[in-house]
Amino acid sequence: MKLRILFLLFVLLFGLDIYGQVNSNLKELDSVLTYLHQTKRFNGTVLYAENGQSIYKKAFGVANFETEEKLTTKSSFNLASVSKQFFCVAIGQLADKGLLKLDDDCKKYLPELPYNGITIRNLMNQVSGIPEYFDLFMNHKTPLDTLTNEGLIKLFQKHRPPLDFPTGKEWAYSNTNYVFLASIIERVSKMPIPEYFEKNIFKPLKMEDSYVYTIKMPKPANHVLGFSELANGRKLNDLTTFDGLVGDGNIYSSVEDLLIWEQSFYTTTLISDKYKKEIFKQVKLKDGSSHPYGFGWMIEDEKEQVYMHTGGWAGFGNIIYRDAKKNRTAVVLSSGSNGLANRVSRDFFKGQKLSVPTTFLIKNVSLIDGTGLKARNESVRIEGKRIKEVGNLTPFENEEVIDGQGKILAPGFIDSHSHLQGYLSVYQDAIAALNQGVTTIVSGQDGGSEPIDSILASLKANPTAVNIATYTGHATIRAKVMGNNDLNRAATKSEIKKIGALLKSEMKKGSLGLSTGLEYEDGFYSSRHEIIELAKIAAADKGKYISHIRSEDISMREAIDEIITIGREAKIPVQISHIKIALKDDWGTAPQLLSILQNARAEGIDITADCYPYDFWNSTPRVLFPKKDFKSIDGAQYATEHLFDADESIMIRYKPNRVYEGKSVGEIAKLRNETHAQTLLYIIAEAEKFEKENPTAYGIQTIMGKSMSEEDVMSFLAWQHTNVCSDGGNGGHPRGYGSFTKILSRYVKEKQILSWENAINKMTALSAEHVGIKNRGIIAPDYFADLVLIDPDTVKDNASIDDPKALSDGILKVWVNGILVYKDKASTQKYPGEFIKR
């Protein structure tokens, strides 16, 4: 069979993904690996063989990064989990000699183990249910301990950790299984593993580069040193205190020896044909299903007899591929903490189209990384979707370089409370978010959400430029159980159980947690007990709770007590949505409110808040009636005197009479020759009438209500546990287009209540922490490449009540998952946004 690989080097070097038909040019294969090595993404050796003969083998890089000793194809790497197949062969040898049986209970050989009915076969097939040993060792080790096989047996004997599942019921990869196998081999053969392997495997096969090595043994001469490739150089990443044991790893070998090893399966030199058939057979579970794992080999294609196994530990990453029907072999051994060559080789071996991620460099920037650290002059290298390196970086040959011209490079902003998601099927460009540097929106707010399946289907049909995460809305799932017209009461015990089942289902699909809108009528009549019980379900899956609390005005202290109680009783992190003080009588009391929240935190309740930088909100006029007395003139009079400023509160949307849209309540009152209170009652009554006459109508009335003090807003923004949000959609309130840039313009540059570093932390890492998003919000290696380039001199929000969609200044470029999506106030019409699961 001819070698086939797709690689047009000159195209790759200019930064394009590579696809197409695989060809037979070995020089092109060499070009792929050379390119990866030159871009510091591969240090290792590669071998490809047909019919037992090497067609291609080559070494790239160094065996010892400290001495610069060069690699050869006979250099010995730590095989990590590729070692497992060797221990299965050793078990087979003992079985062939009649010294043990595969279905023997392990306690026959390891009587110290606290489990009954687990066989040797169960260990090799990874169906024992025995948990991983890493946490057990770390929880009970002293600083000078090194783990050994006998030491691990004693740990299990003493602490008796329970099985993860009943033996044979599930498949789960556990390194512990293979450590116990090694101990069985030693006890049955009465030989240490290094001696057994040398005598019974390596010497018979003439594998001259292969041996067993642990941290407790003298270091062999032919020993590749593991390392990590970092921006400031290479760092040792080799054996640790776990590596006094064998079984799950710590066999060393070369690509040349591994070809000899793989070819031995065509013979009976080591084991019988009967046992070989067992090695490459899928494991059967108790329910009759099977899993594609044999004895130390993954079954890639049972019918075509294609098998493989990977191995990764410390700085090592390896893969071995075996096509038994066509007698093809591929081996990659690497020591630089990058598995890209493994993936490329895997795709090549399977005859698939190849995609080699390219890199680009952003240099000459003032880097504010999201952690709150001071800005620093560094460069950032992006590989595919992720950040590869941060530091004083030199461009690779022909690498795309973006000159930041000294501007601020920050993580893409995370909007922890957004209503933009519902617009994205039409407005895929997501300019409302991107123009202010937002790369991830969090939907499902105020108790209302779309099912995750619907969001995923929408993203598939209409990809978008921003990432989306979601909470599950309490009111939405409540209505599914209780009906849309029966929500003005507390849920029954059986209804809570059904609502909880819907929440649990969404949590399993990746929901961030539970959101409520308790001031709104769909959630207002729910009991505190109902919310606590549902919050417990979210907490069980390590979710969060976010709430538009039950009152932001006359009953705010009770509402604050409620969310604190929910956090305490459900043992769940709780977040106050768009924290504000809407009661005029309480303006200026933000410090007192924050002291209550701090006391709750001191008690151990993880309570936080998000806040948008405006002193007017956007909702329905009905929220101005805390007692839900929508026909009471006294209630309306109280609202106009204590809850909002009628002359500065604008009706953004009013379908019963479009003439009133864009006018304040005060202006409408003048047109109608009424008091403000009378007009407020009229607005609500006409909207109710319109809704009855148009039952399918949506968004009948929206008011932009002026009812906050900027001093309180600044106090909330300054609190160390407040992150920034917009609470915005695609227009209407200017917050949908300007919240994040307004923070930078007014509260960093003008008011100076926040530093650049503090403000950006509140828009990125702190937001990610509060909602439960990982690997975003910080500029660091392996984080997703969501980035924004900001001109600090010109950044400014321009959205206003008169022009709510005016684009911000100073947001120069925005990247989402490594793709440039916004430049010079325009979309690039790229849509790499992803759904982010909890």
Side-chain angles (χ1 to χ4, degrees), residues 31 54 75 155 164 166 178 187 200 291 317 363 370 373 386 478 488 530 541 573 587 594 626 700 757 785 794 796 835:
S31 295
S54 298
S75 296
L155 278 173
D164 287 340
Y178 278 75
R187 292 188 181 186
N200 295 285
H291 189 87
K363 70 170 189 176
L373 292 176
R386 294 183 183 254
R478 195 172 195 259
N488 59 344
E530 174 183 334
D541 274 324
W587 284 3
L594 291 175
I700 295 169
E757 293 83 359
T794 63
K796 183 180 181 298
F835 180 74

Side-chain angles (χ1 to χ4, degrees), residues 4-233:
R4 301 181 304 160
I5 188 167
L6 172 71
F7 194 82
L8 302 177
L9 177 60
F10 71 94
V11 177
L12 178 61
L13 292 177
F14 281 95
L16 301 177
D17 284 343
I18 305 305
Y19 298 99
Q21 285 297 320
V22 183
N23 63 52
S24 61
N25 193 330
L26 294 179
K27 290 182 179 180
E28 290 179 328
L29 170 60
D30 189 60
S31 295
V32 175
L33 300 172
T34 299
Y35 173 76
L36 293 178
H37 174 60
Q38 289 175 344
T39 54
K40 298 183 180 180
R41 291 183 284 175
F42 179 50
N43 185 90
T45 55
V46 179
L47 179 145
Y48 175 76
E50 294 180 358
N51 299 314
Q53 298 298 313
S54 298
I55 294 178
Y56 179 85
K57 63 179 180 180
K58 191 170 180 180
F60 298 83
V62 296
N64 186 325
F65 72 93
E66 295 173 339
T67 65
E68 295 296 319
E69 175 192 347
K70 299 296 183 182
L71 280 171
T72 74
T73 54
K74 292 181 66 62
S75 296
S76 298
F77 290 73
N78 187 336
L79 299 186
S81 286
V82 174
S83 303
K84 290 179 169 63
Q85 56 198 250
F86 287 84
F87 291 90
C88 291
V89 166
I91 289 287
Q93 290 177 328
L94 298 175
D96 284 341
K97 293 176 181 177
L99 297 176
L100 56 73
K101 295 179 181 178
L102 301 188
D103 294 313
D104 284 344
D105 193 313
C106 293
K107 285 182 74 73
K108 180 177 179 180
Y109 309 102
L110 305 175
E112 305 97 317
L113 293 187
Y115 314 114
N116 293 310
I118 297 176
T119 67
I120 293 173
R121 184 189 299 272
N122 294 150
L123 296 181
M124 291 192 289
N125 280 149
Q126 301 274 24
V127 296
S128 72
I130 297 174
E132 282 282 13
Y133 64 80
F134 301 112
D135 288 344
L136 182 67
F137 175 59
M138 291 303 294
N139 290 339
H140 297 285
K141 71 184 287 289
T142 68
L144 299 179
D145 283 348
T146 297
L147 187 60
T148 64
N149 287 58
E150 289 301 310
L152 183 62
I153 292 171
K154 289 178 182 178
L155 278 173
F156 272 76
Q157 181 183 20
K158 180 178 180 179
H159 299 287
R160 306 175 69 86
L163 296 178
D164 287 340
F165 52 84
T167 301
K169 188 175 181 180
E170 299 178 27
W171 183 93
Y173 197 90
S174 174
N175 289 282
T176 314
N177 290 324
Y178 278 75
V179 178
F180 289 161
L181 281 173
S183 295
I184 291 173
I185 294 167
E186 288 189 324
R187 292 188 181 186
V188 172
S189 69
K190 297 181 172 55
M191 253 187 261
I193 287 294
E195 181 182 341
Y196 181 91
F197 274 54
E198 178 62 28
K199 179 179 179 180
N200 295 285
I201 296 178
F202 302 145
K203 192 171 182 179
L205 293 181
K206 298 181 181 179
M207 295 173 64
E208 298 176 351
D209 309 319
S210 303
Y211 51 85
V212 176
Y213 169 60
T214 74
I215 201 168
K216 285 181 166 286
M217 299 167 62
K219 187 176 293 185
N222 185 11
H223 168 254
V224 174
L225 203 60
F227 66 90
S228 293
E229 192 82 65
L230 304 177
N232 59 350

Side-chain angles (χ1 to χ4, degrees), residues 270-311:
L270 297 182
I271 50 173
S272 65
D273 285 333
K274 178 183 177 181
Y275 185 73
K276 273 189 290 185
K277 290 179 182 178
E278 295 283 339
I279 289 177
F280 298 107
K281 187 187 300 182
Q282 293 194 40
V283 59
K284 295 291 184 182
L285 303 178
K286 283 187 174 180
D287 63 1
S289 64
S290 60
H291 189 87
Y293 198 87
F295 293 168
W297 285 89
M298 298 174 185
I299 316 299
E300 187 90 353
D301 189 325
E302 191 169 40
K303 182 180 179 181
E304 296 299 319
Q305 301 177 40
V306 178
Y307 316 107
M308 57 82 64
H309 210 288
T310 58

Side-chain angles (χ1 to χ4, degrees), residues 596-610:
I596 294 172
L597 302 185
Q598 279 296 144
N599 285 337
R601 291 187 62 83
E603 182 188 332
I605 299 165
D606 185 3
I607 187 165
T608 58
D610 57 28

Side-chain angles (χ1 to χ4, degrees), residues 674-685:
E674 293 177 334
T675 66
H676 293 167
Q678 289 171 328
T679 295
L680 185 58
L681 290 179
Y682 164 81
I683 287 170
I684 290 176

Side-chain angles (χ1 to χ4, degrees), residues 643-764:
L643 302 183
F644 82 122
D645 186 328
D647 289 324
E648 293 191 41
S649 297
I650 312 299
M651 293 303 301
I652 299 300
R653 185 185 297 115
Y654 195 64
K655 291 183 178 180
N657 189 341
R658 297 285 191 179
V659 172
Y660 294 157
E661 291 184 349
K663 292 182 171 59
S664 71
V665 173
E667 288 172 328
I668 297 170
K670 287 182 181 179
L671 290 175
R672 296 182 53 77
N673 196 26
E674 293 177 334
T675 66
H676 293 167
Q678 289 171 328
T679 295
L680 185 58
L681 290 179
Y682 164 81
I683 287 170
I684 290 176
E686 286 299 298
E688 284 184 357
K689 179 181 176 182
F690 184 89
E691 185 174 13
K692 288 178 181 178
E693 295 172 352
N694 303 273
T696 62
Y698 175 78
I700 295 169
Q701 56 176 340
T702 303
I703 186 174
M704 218 179 304
K706 174 69 170 67
S707 63
M708 287 176 274
S709 155
E710 188 180 25
E711 291 300 317
D712 286 336
V713 172
M714 289 193 293
S715 293
F716 291 137
L717 286 172
W719 188 43
Q720 62 182 319
H721 301 295
T722 301
N723 68 266
V724 175
C725 74
S726 76
D727 193 19
N730 193 56
H733 195 299
R735 65 192 180 189
Y737 274 71
S739 289
F740 289 78
T741 42
K742 182 174 182 180
I743 290 286
L744 299 177
S745 177
R746 182 161 178 79
Y747 297 111
V748 174
K749 295 168 60 176
E750 183 180 337
K751 293 288 187 179
Q752 297 184 9
I753 65 164
L754 300 170
S755 68
W756 283 99
E757 293 83 359
N758 185 217
I760 287 172
N761 168 257
K762 287 175 173 287
M763 299 175 178
T764 56

